[in-house]
Amino acid sequence: MEAGFLNILKPPGMTSHDVVYRVRRLFPKGTKVGHLGTLDPPAAGVLPVAVGFATRLISHLPDGDKAYLAEVEFGLRSDTLDAAGVIEAGGPLPEVLDLTTHLLPYQGTIMQVPPQVSALRQDGQRSYDRARRGEQFQLPARPAHYHKVELLRQTRHTATLRVACGPGTYIRSLARDLGESLGCGAILRFLLRLQSGDFHLPQAIRLEEIEPQQLLPWHWPWREQSSRVLDQWPPPAQVEGWQGLAFHPKGAALYRDGIKVWAREGIVGGASA
């Protein structure tokens, strides 16, 4: 059975689930497909997708950094923090938009409140479901890690930013907080994801271009890590603190901190038997 990863270029206007549905239709009936992290419907860019038994590896993938190109518009506010929501006028813009100074706090790990319209769970429910029902609630601040926020272009009302960040960071929250620090409000007008872990925009393919032979190998996210050889099968539950993939003529196993977290018989050296 075919298995591996696809680096999809998601167009704006589609949900991540829409992309999964489209990909699933290209493979034999019953093939499992899942994405590696939600990209908001208005956003475009890199959306990695797992196919076949590679879906079982999603929760075990190495934590991947993200990179985005973001356009922020000042003087507006939105209930979704972007252009897809109900937009209202914010405060007056400062005479001088000194964005360089106001971007300085976005370095390293900070505490940031995520958008209410998000896939986060609170009290067992998706936050976006509660928001769409009109419920009043607050999400707690959570750590967000920024490697670098670079100002690429600025006009009187907008700014284009390149953001390198850790997983779980919301660029809509960055736009909101930047606008509030200026006293005028701001929304995320457009977002393009340039990178998600080991998946980068230049190698992304459009949905219309997908073919089964374009699948990246199921072991691709670990391709730059060393592997080891198992001398027994089934694989032992623990292997001397090993972190990564281990192979045996009968199959392969994935270890995290020496503990087996996944194993599959019938694959050798990254190929399905």
Side-chain angles (χ1 to χ4, degrees):
M1 179 178 289
E2 292 165 319
F5 295 93
L6 289 168
N7 182 3
I8 302 297
L9 175 59
K10 187 188 91 66
M14 292 186 72
T15 67
S16 300
H17 180 74
D18 290 338
V19 173
V20 167
Y21 175 76
R22 287 279 297 274
V23 172
R24 187 181 293 124
R25 292 175 59 189
L26 299 173
F27 291 87
K29 186 176 181 180
T31 301
K32 292 184 178 181
V33 179
H35 62 74
L36 275 61
T38 301
L39 186 58
D40 291 337
V46 172
L47 181 68
V49 170
V51 177
F53 67 76
T55 57
R56 301 290 299 271
L57 292 164
I58 291 176
S59 61
H60 304 303
L61 290 172
D63 290 334
D65 288 331
K66 306 290 194 297
Y68 298 92
L69 193 67
E71 183 181 71
V72 178
E73 183 171 356
F74 301 100
L76 299 172
R77 291 188 174 93
S78 166
D79 59 345
T80 60
L81 310 187
D82 61 11
V86 178
I87 299 176
E88 59 183 28
L93 273 66
E95 288 296 325
V96 178
L97 278 176
D98 183 14
L99 293 182
T100 302
T101 299
H102 285 270
L103 288 173
L104 289 176
Y106 301 99
Q107 300 179 29
T109 300
I110 66 172
M111 298 300 292
Q112 198 164 43
V113 177
Q116 289 192 345
V117 180
S118 65
L120 294 175
R121 289 188 180 273
Q122 187 184 56
D123 300 328
Q125 302 180 68
R126 294 289 190 187
S127 178
Y128 55 65
D129 288 333
R130 299 185 64 186
R132 288 165 183 165
R133 290 196 298 265
E135 295 184 25
Q136 299 298 315
F137 64 98
Q138 295 292 328
L139 292 175
R142 50 186 278 167
H145 190 81
Y146 291 92
H147 301 301
K148 186 177 183 180
V149 181
E150 182 181 4
L151 177 63
L152 300 180
R153 181 175 179 270
Q154 180 179 343
T155 69
R156 174 61 179 151
H157 296 278
T158 66
T160 302
L161 308 175
R162 192 185 193 282
V163 182
C165 58
T169 300
Y170 287 90
I171 310 303
R172 284 180 289 153
S173 294
L174 169 62
R176 174 202 61 204
D177 294 348
L178 184 58
E180 294 308 317
S181 71
L182 291 163
C184 60
I187 66 171
L188 182 64
R189 178 59 71 179
F190 183 72
L191 185 68
L192 176 66
R193 185 149 72 185
L194 307 173
Q195 174 192 353
S196 179
D198 287 334
F199 301 87
H200 297 263
L201 185 64
Q203 290 77 43
I205 57 176
R206 296 181 298 123
L207 287 167
E208 297 79 9
E209 300 171 332
I210 297 175
E211 295 180 1
Q213 60 264 34
Q214 292 172 315
L215 278 172
L216 298 166
W218 67 268
H219 59 92
W220 190 79
W222 294 273
R223 67 196 185 285
E224 296 180 357
Q225 297 182 11
S226 60
S227 60
R228 68 178 299 162
V229 177
L230 291 172
D231 58 7
Q232 69 179 80
W233 191 269
Q238 293 183 328
V239 180
E240 302 171 2
W242 173 250
Q243 182 109 342
L245 287 169
F247 295 97
H248 183 273
K250 290 187 177 181
L254 176 64
Y255 288 85
R256 176 174 290 174
D257 298 324
I259 299 175
K260 182 185 67 179
V261 295
W262 173 86
R264 184 179 176 90
E265 190 168 343
I267 51 177
V268 181
S272 180

